Amino acid sequence: MIHFHRVTLEYPRTRTKALFDVSLEIKKGEFVFLVGHSGAGKSSLLNLILKRLEPTQGAVYFAGENLKALRGDRIALHRRRIGVVYQDHRLLRDRTVEENLLFVLRVLGVPAAEWAPRVTRALRQVGLVHKKRAYPEELSVGEAQRVAIARALVGDPPVLLADEPTGNLDPANALAVLEILKGAHARGATVLVATHARDLVEAYPQRVVVLRAGQLVRDERDGRYSLT
Ligand SMILES: Nc1ncnc2c1ncn2[C@@H]1O[C@H](COP(=O)(O)OP(=O)(O)OP(=O)(O)O)[C@@H](O)[C@H]1O
Ligand SMILES: [Mg+2]
């Protein structure tokens, strides 16, 4: 589903080599944790998948397609195949929960008849149907993050990327977020989660890819890993 072939990424302005000769194959339906110290290259790797960055060397393939070949509208279409969650919720503050989700469905061109059931389903997946008329500021931090995940899932993307999705959350809320990500995985999504939170990995012992200073130094199958 996602394939990195000998990818090196250098940020031109600072000449920082954020990734060095990274090869990685993530199969459809896999759940992968991406771990590593701050600055190891996790967010850079996710941004390559979104084609927000281009590799300096090597290639990134998504569903068999070299992302380098994508231009114009096809870049937007590519990004619609990916749900993204960040550390902060990034919801539109002047729109309700429901409107935040509808915004995505409109952009995706989903027929209007499907909007209400889709919104209800996505909010049910995160346990927040009762908050659909609330504005982001009327939600707790944990609730807002769950809405952000509902927004990432409402379009039914085959791939879900999460960049430190529990970074702002207490342990109980972090585990609630993990449960939602597990649910998406169980329904068939390919899920890649960048995280510092070891207890998250321990709570769901899946594949763990370890980056250290831009290099892929470990690829474990059972959730056990070391950063050194
Ligand atoms: N826009 C940028 N321009 C120049 N260098 C950058 C840029 N973004 C990141 N870097 C550098 O690239 C390297 C990898 O950064 P990246 O953000 O991918 O790390 P990370 O693993 O996500 O770290 P964190 O856990 O702190 O989020 C770091 O050395 C960082 O300073
Ligand atoms: Mg990061």
Side-chain angles (χ1 to χ4, degrees), residues 202-214:
E202 282 165 1
Y204 196 41
Q206 296 284 318
R207 182 174 173 196
V208 186
V209 170
V210 182
L211 288 177
R212 192 199 304 146

Side-chain angles (χ1 to χ4, degrees), residues 11 14 16 18 36-44 196:
Y11 287 99
T14 56
T16 309
H37 292 302
S38 183
K42 304 181 293 296
S43 299
S44 301
H196 286 116

